[in-house]
Amino acid sequence: MHHTRLLTFGVPLLAGALALTACGSRDEGDGKAGTGGAGTTVTIGFDAPLSKDLAAVGLGMKNSAELAVKQANADKLVPGVTFRLAAKDDQATPNIGQQNAAAFVADPAVIGVVGAYNSSVSAAMQSTFHDARMVQVSGANTAATLTQGAEYKTAPERQYDNYFRTISTDAVAAPVMARYFYEDLKVKKIATVDDKKTYGTGIVENFKDAYEKLGGKVVIHQSINPDESDYAAVVNSVRSSGAQGVFYGGEYPQAGPLKKQLVAAGFEGPMGGGDALKDDALVSLAGAEAADGVCAHSDGAPIDSLDSAKSFVSAYKAAGYSEPYGVFGAYVYDATTALIKAVAGAVEKNGGKAGDITQLRPKTVEAMQGVAFEGATGKVGFDEYGDSVNQVISVNCVKDGAWKNGVKIVTVD
């Protein structure tokens, strides 16, 4: 926790020493590492962007995972086991994620990993965790290919039996946004733009399929380079295309400036996108006025409207974290709790002992498939692909310089 673990952040020498001994991981729980007394300390790995432009969302996710670990320890959810969280920063970069995955696997105290944030990073990690028979569970990955393969539209096939997620896929969510734009906003001609990443290109494809089925027309498709900040060429193409709106496949650090530049060029149509657009930072990046008319879906009903999320929200506030939990916090909290419940099931099958953690990993994978409980986000459980069984999608839009959540809430059969 930030307010009790200031040393980890505040003292460079100590941070350096931690980096040497524990790859920069942060202790959670009671701060004891290794095996102390009669109990066993089991490490849960966590991976997300904790620096650079996606740090805010990554830190909110990390805090949420930490909260789940802290509560599991307080409630003695697994008798004789104390959990700690070891967080690694992937900088939203697939090859760093892959290195982090290898480091987690090589650590004999790590039972499983919560992460990543980016679908492209998880794609680079999946086989490493699969080979180690280790659970990977994400509260943020939405690319359908991760669970159901490249042919997910026509011949879905489970890719990795150790990979799970607590959030809906873009194949479920993007059609909701397509219908909202075509039917509710009456946008019949649209421009699509992506950032060339796994998530961005995938969500645009899912949106396009659904939008065209409804009778909409994609008049132009463009790509931006997410490492650049001047999108003049794309803005001009969109403006002259006759599009009445834009659907952007990518993340808020680029979506904000893109919307700002579109508005500055005289484009007045709404902008749609996926859950990676839904961040307060988008409003400040675009400017309050230009941000109006951005709509993004998110998984589930708005967290603040769910009775099931009230205890998560109040515990998060009480913990005094400096970053908000964000769009993905509650899903990461549920993902971490699901992994801990799977460890409980594996320990029980192991005669009530954790034993050698590397030997417990495959048993935890097995137990994870059957995990089901009422979480902060509602019903938590996994289907035959490892996908979430909870498929409610909200449409959220920026109005008067702030996000209005749950403008429309759709339950997908």
Side-chain angles (χ1 to χ4, degrees):
M1 308 250 335
H2 290 170
H3 64 298
T4 55
R5 313 287 319 186
L6 287 172
L7 286 175
T8 328
F9 295 88
V11 185
L13 279 174
L14 181 62
L18 275 173
L20 291 173
T21 57
C23 308
S25 65
R26 320 249 193 263
D27 282 7
E28 182 46 54
D30 59 6
K32 297 187 191 98
T35 307
T40 308
T41 299
V42 174
T43 301
I44 288 175
F46 174 86
D47 180 272
L50 301 176
S51 64
K52 303 200 168 169
D53 62 2
L54 290 166
V57 73
L59 290 165
M61 289 165 62
K62 173 180 168 279
N63 297 342
S64 303
E66 254 174 26
L67 187 61
V69 166
K70 210 175 177 59
Q71 289 181 345
N73 288 338
D75 299 342
K76 298 192 167 32
L77 209 60
V78 186
V81 171
T82 299
F83 291 94
R84 61 182 286 272
L85 193 77
K88 289 186 188 297
D89 176 12
D90 60 33
Q91 295 177 35
T93 306
N95 65 345
I96 298 177
Q98 199 169 22
Q99 290 161 22
N100 290 350
F104 282 132
V105 166
D107 183 342
V110 176
I111 189 68
V113 174
V114 177
Y117 165 73
N118 303 81
S119 292
S120 52
V121 174
S122 277
M125 303 171 107
Q126 281 181 309
S127 63
T128 302
F129 291 133
H130 182 258
D131 292 348
R133 306 304 303 133
M134 186 191 272
V135 168
Q136 178 185 3
V137 58
S138 175
N141 291 161
T142 56
T145 48
L146 293 172
T147 43
Q148 300 183 31
E151 306 300 316
Y152 66 89
K153 289 180 195 166
T154 51
E157 192 183 339
R158 187 156 194 181
Q159 300 301 290
Y160 297 101
D161 65 351
N162 63 308
Y163 176 88
F164 302 86
R165 57 177 139 203
T166 52
I167 193 163
S168 298
T169 72
D170 298 325
V172 174
V176 172
M177 192 54 80
R179 190 169 288 277
Y180 184 73
F181 263 64
Y182 187 76
E183 292 179 357
D184 297 55
L185 299 183
K186 308 280 189 258
V187 170
K188 308 298 182 187
K189 294 191 289 183
I190 205 160
T192 56
V193 182
D194 68 46
D195 64 357
K196 302 179 190 164
K197 293 189 197 174
T198 305
Y199 168 79
T201 54
I203 198 167
V204 163
E205 194 183 313
N206 288 132
F207 176 89
K208 178 178 182 281
D209 287 352
Y211 185 73
E212 288 177 342
K213 257 188 203 133
L214 292 166
K217 189 169 191 294
V218 176
V219 290
I220 190 171
H221 175 71
Q222 298 277 288
S223 293
I224 62 152
N225 178 347
D227 297 326
E228 290 172 4
S229 55
D230 180 358
Y231 310 128
V234 169
V235 167
N236 291 335
S237 302
V238 168
R239 232 186 89 203
S240 55
S241 70
Q244 299 161 322
V246 177
F247 183 84
Y248 176 66
E251 295 149 349
Y252 70 86
Q254 292 76 30
L258 177 61
K259 182 68 161 67
K260 185 179 192 169
Q261 291 169 40
L262 281 163
V263 170
F267 185 82
E268 289 172 6
M271 176 193 272
D275 44 12
L277 263 60
K278 196 187 172 293
D279 198 284
D280 290 341
L282 179 136
V283 179
S284 46
L285 287 167
E289 214 172 307
D292 271 21
V294 173
C295 295
H297 69 247
S298 56
D299 202 70
I303 290 303
D304 47 19
S305 76
L306 289 174
D307 283 344
S308 58
K310 282 193 167 74
S311 64
F312 163 73
V313 171
S314 61
Y316 193 96
K317 282 182 180 151
Y321 292 116
S322 50
E323 302 85 12
Y325 51 81
V327 180
F328 302 101
Y331 293 92
V332 171
Y333 174 80
D334 283 349
T336 310
T337 303
L339 176 52
I340 290 167
K341 284 181 182 287
V343 174
V347 167
E348 202 179 318
K349 267 200 161 167
N350 213 32
K353 291 186 172 59
D356 177 346
I357 305 304
T358 57
Q359 300 298 307
L360 197 65
R361 286 172 181 174
K363 294 178 177 135
T364 305
V365 170
E366 207 177 302
M368 188 74 166
Q369 186 63 52
V371 165
F373 63 100
E374 285 298 316
T377 60
K379 193 176 168 195
V380 178
F382 308 104
D383 67 11
E384 70 269 34
Y385 303 106
D387 283 328
S388 170
V389 293
N390 187 5
Q391 307 217 324
V392 178
I393 304 296
S394 299
V395 174
N396 319 286
C397 299
V398 179
K399 286 183 181 158
D400 304 321
W403 283 102
K404 300 281 181 283
N405 297 332
V407 173
K408 189 168 193 176
I409 300 170
V410 179
T411 300
V412 182
D413 307 328

